[in-house]
């Protein structure tokens, strides 16, 4: 245990040194987004946070993240008071850059803690595999690209998620797992996609009897329910008291942003959009009606721009129903299991819920692929069949993030680092994964190998 702790800690120190070298690198509009949120929470009263619109980058995360920015703003103004002024749009002094990038490194230490907890809670025979999985997550090129160059706080958020997932491993910490996940929802609402897996798993393992699905443990239900209500009350209560919940929800769920994100996530709706473009070309031969006003719409990559020229329009309701249908499948297995579902079954359900939301969700960001890759990493070494699905996913998922960094200076960094990570960890995973006790799918294995090689 001490050796694994030293290894993870040493990697965190080396990684931090490398990330500091990236401080002057490209930063996206998200850098200004978070600077503006520092300014909003520092300069304005809480009653104005979700109404402020001096900048186009308005506050659109749940209240706990707003409180998080408020805490950071107290330190930010010590570095550069101008950084926390609302009217200083696009302000990026060196003090601002150093401060904001340093906070990303500091807050992702929570991920180090959660991953170490994962290693320590793993039985001795599997500890080496757990250590490699933990290192692969912490050193993920996705987190490097999104957080330390492009700029966000995903390492911190996924640290909370991993902490919750690891606590779900023991019966004695199931309640803490659920409450931490409830807090995560109040930090960033994208994790709502994973909520069905948590709900069914906690219902089956914590709220219902192990012997019967109809026998309810009322004391456990009350403790979990009161805990979740308390967390949401602490987060949303002040805004409810001010009558601002409708305004807050309009910021959190802006359906006007359109079906596809400006950078298309590689999901079902990207293929649907591609099919629409192909049908425009084939329309004269197939005698198809084409809406002229939508001819350029989908390909321009504009937020809120979702009109299709040939195919029917997709509504948020269609996305919701499609996502829910494909999430229900793994949830049925957990709920109707003849025995209590295992932790590995739970992680699999979380992974598949994230996968369904990525493939069918409304306005999916390419960054959302980490909702699938990170939990999947925890069980990728459980079975070689898992690894067969994990390898093409992680290759495609990380490469799909490359368009986020389009400047020439960052091209070598994202390419070399990602290739090095893929070679190092996929080889390590392949060496550590146990042989499957079921027949391997020959064609799938060959397709996976060919896909990765290309």
């Amino acid at each position: 245990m001490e050796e694994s702790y030293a290894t993870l800690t040493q990697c965190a120190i080396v990684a931090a040194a490398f990330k500091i070298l990236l401080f002057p690198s490209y930063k996206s509009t998200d850098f200004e987004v978070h600077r503006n949120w520092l300014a909003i929470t520092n300069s304005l009263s809480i009653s104005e946070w979700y109404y402020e619109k001096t900048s186009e980058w308005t506050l659109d995360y749940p209240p706990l993240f707003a409180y998080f920015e408020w805490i950071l703003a107290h330190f930010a103004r010590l570095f550069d008071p101008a950084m926390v002024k609302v009217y200083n749009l696009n302000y990026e002094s060196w003090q601002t850059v150093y401060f904001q990038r340093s906070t990303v490194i500091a807050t992702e230490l929570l991920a180090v803690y959660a991953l170490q907890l994962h290693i320590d809670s793993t039985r001795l025979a599997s500890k080496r595999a757990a250590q490699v999985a933990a290192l692969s997550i912490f050193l993920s090129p996705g987190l490097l690209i999104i957080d330390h160059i492009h700029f966000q706080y995903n390492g911190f958020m996924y640290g909370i998620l991993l902490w919750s997932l690891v606590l779900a491993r023991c019966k004695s910490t199931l309640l803490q797992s659920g409450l931490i996940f409830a807090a995560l929802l109040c930090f960033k609402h994208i994790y709502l996609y994973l909520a069905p897996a948590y709900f069914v798993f906690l219902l089956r393992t914590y709220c219902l009897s192990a012997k019967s699905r109809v026998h309810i443990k009322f004391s456990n239900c009350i403790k979990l329910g009161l805990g979740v209500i308390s967390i949401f009350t602490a987060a949303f209560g002040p805004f409810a008291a001010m009558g601002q919940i409708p305004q807050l929800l309009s910021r959190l769920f802006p359906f006007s942003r359109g079906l596809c994100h400006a950078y298309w996530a590689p999901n079902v709706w990207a293929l649907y959009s591609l099919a629409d473009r192909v049908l425009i070309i084939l329309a004269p031969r197939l005698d198809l009606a084409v809406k002229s006003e939508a001819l350029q719409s989908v390909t321009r990559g504009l937020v809120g721009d979702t009109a299709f020229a040939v195919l029917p329009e997709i509504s948020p309701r269609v996305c919701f129903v499609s996502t829910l249908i494909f999430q229900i499948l793994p949830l049925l297995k957990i709920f109707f299991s003849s025995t209590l579902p295992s932790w590995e079954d739970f992680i699999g359900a979380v992974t598949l819920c994230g996968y369904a939301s990525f493939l069918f969700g409304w306005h999916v960001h390419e960054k959302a692929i980490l909702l699938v890759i990170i939990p999947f990493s925890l069980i990728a070494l459980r079975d070689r069949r898992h690894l067969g699905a994990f390898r093409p996913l992680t290759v495609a998922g990380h490469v799909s993030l490359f368009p986020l960094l389009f400047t020439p200076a960052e091209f070598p960094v994202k390419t070399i680092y990602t290739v090095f990570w893929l070679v190092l960890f996929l080889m390590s995973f392949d060496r550590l994964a146990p042989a499957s006790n079921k027949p391997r799918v020959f064609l799938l294995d060959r397709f996976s190998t060919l896909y990765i090689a290309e």
Side-chain angles (χ1 to χ4, degrees):
M1 181 168 62
E2 292 179 357
E3 180 184 353
S4 66
Y5 179 80
T7 301
L8 190 58
T9 302
Q10 290 165 1
C11 284
I13 294 172
V14 173
F18 175 63
K19 292 164 185 175
I20 289 172
L21 295 176
L22 296 175
F23 277 11
S25 61
Y26 162 79
K27 47 191 176 296
S28 71
T29 53
D30 280 330
F31 184 87
E32 168 60 15
V33 169
H34 288 278
R35 187 217 59 80
N36 186 54
W37 293 358
L38 289 173
I40 289 173
T41 55
N42 177 78
S43 304
L44 305 176
S45 66
I46 189 173
S47 62
E48 300 175 90
W49 287 1
Y50 286 95
Y51 285 93
E52 165 58 35
K53 54 181 180 179
T54 300
S55 168
E56 62 178 309
W57 312 119
T58 53
L59 181 58
D60 58 5
Y61 274 25
L64 282 191
F65 198 90
Y67 303 151
F68 168 72
E69 294 278 9
W70 176 77
I71 293 172
L72 291 182
H74 283 75
F75 297 96
R77 62 190 181 193
L78 300 178
F79 283 78
D80 185 353
M83 156 187 353
V84 291
K85 302 299 181 183
V86 173
Y87 55 81
N88 273 353
L89 302 183
N90 299 309
Y91 185 79
E92 50 182 53
S93 66
W94 279 115
Q95 293 92 330
T96 302
V97 173
Y98 290 154
F99 174 78
Q100 289 198 233
R101 290 205 182 278
S102 296
T103 59
V104 175
I105 295 176
T107 54
E108 72 179 0
L109 290 176
L110 181 58
V112 176
Y113 168 77
L115 291 170
Q116 184 58 48
L117 196 63
H118 168 61
I119 296 171
D120 294 342
S121 63
T122 304
R123 65 181 186 273
L124 187 61
S126 305
K127 202 166 288 288
R128 181 60 179 170
Q131 185 181 43
V132 172
L135 290 173
S136 75
I137 293 173
F138 184 73
L139 300 176
S140 165
L143 292 177
L144 181 79
I145 290 171
I146 297 172
D147 283 6
H148 301 282
I149 304 178
H150 189 267
F151 194 85
Q152 276 191 357
Y153 289 93
N154 287 283
F156 172 58
M157 299 296 177
Y158 281 106
I160 301 175
L161 175 64
L162 289 165
W163 188 15
S164 174
L165 292 175
V166 173
L167 289 177
R169 198 168 203 158
C170 301
K171 292 182 180 179
S172 60
T173 53
L174 281 174
L175 177 61
Q176 294 94 311
S177 171
L179 298 184
I180 289 173
F181 182 73
L184 178 61
L185 295 180
C186 296
F187 271 98
K188 193 170 183 179
H189 49 305
I190 191 175
Y191 296 100
L192 276 170
Y193 287 131
L194 310 182
Y198 270 88
F199 176 80
V200 173
F201 179 73
L202 289 173
L203 176 65
R204 186 69 180 87
T205 59
Y206 187 73
C207 297
L208 300 180
S209 171
K211 298 180 180 179
S212 173
R213 285 186 293 270
V214 298
H215 185 267
I216 301 173
K217 298 178 179 178
F218 287 102
S219 62
N220 286 1
C221 291
I222 292 172
K223 285 188 288 186
L224 181 60
L226 289 178
V228 171
I229 291 171
S230 298
I231 290 170
F232 274 84
T233 300
F236 290 87
F239 301 95
M242 294 182 288
Q244 293 187 7
I245 294 299
Q247 172 65 17
L248 197 157
L249 293 178
S250 70
R251 287 284 183 87
L252 297 185
F253 302 100
F255 290 111
S256 60
R257 287 185 177 179
L259 174 66
C260 296
H261 183 49
Y263 292 108
W264 288 3
N267 63 4
V268 168
W269 307 127
L271 296 176
Y272 189 85
S273 301
L274 174 63
D276 188 69
R277 310 319 296 174
V278 172
L279 288 175
I280 291 174
I281 299 173
L282 300 177
R285 298 181 181 181
L286 301 177
D287 195 26
L288 298 174
V290 178
K291 292 175 282 186
S292 58
E293 67 276 9
L295 282 176
Q296 301 299 321
S297 177
V298 177
T299 58
R300 287 183 297 176
L302 301 179
V303 174
D305 191 29
T306 59
F308 292 98
V310 178
L311 294 175
E313 300 296 335
I314 302 297
S315 66
R317 181 175 297 179
V318 170
C319 293
F320 175 79
V321 172
S322 301
T323 300
L324 190 60
I325 288 173
F326 284 93
Q327 286 185 337
I328 284 175
L329 300 177
L331 301 183
L332 291 175
K333 177 183 177 182
I334 287 181
F335 186 77
F336 290 105
S337 173
S338 57
T339 59
L340 286 179
S342 67
W343 181 76
E344 287 79 8
D345 291 336
F346 168 56
I347 301 298
V350 169
T351 300
L352 291 174
C353 282
Y355 222 152
S357 67
F358 181 81
L359 291 176
F360 298 99
W362 176 268
H363 195 73
V364 176
H365 290 232
E366 63 289 304
K367 294 168 281 191
I369 192 61
L370 295 183
L371 278 174
V372 188
I373 293 176
I374 287 181
F376 198 179
S377 299
L378 298 176
I379 58 170
L381 290 171
R382 180 190 178 195
D383 192 298
R384 189 160 292 275
R385 290 170 298 149
H386 287 185
L387 183 58
F390 179 77
R391 287 186 298 176
L393 166 69
T394 194
V395 172
H398 286 123
V399 172
S400 71
L401 299 175
F402 280 12
L404 291 174
L405 306 181
F406 50 83
T407 49
E410 281 66 43
F411 180 81
V413 176
K414 69 180 181 183
T415 305
I416 295 173
Y417 186 89
T418 301
V419 170
F420 177 78
W421 184 93
L422 289 170
V423 171
L424 175 63
F425 284 106
L426 290 186
M427 287 180 62
S428 299
F429 276 34
D430 189 67
R431 181 169 54 85
L432 292 171
S436 173
N437 56 3
K438 294 185 178 181
R440 297 171 66 181
V441 182
F442 180 81
L443 290 178
L444 182 60
D445 288 342
R446 290 296 175 267
F447 173 78
S448 173
T449 303
L450 179 63
Y451 182 83
I452 293 172
E454 292 180 347

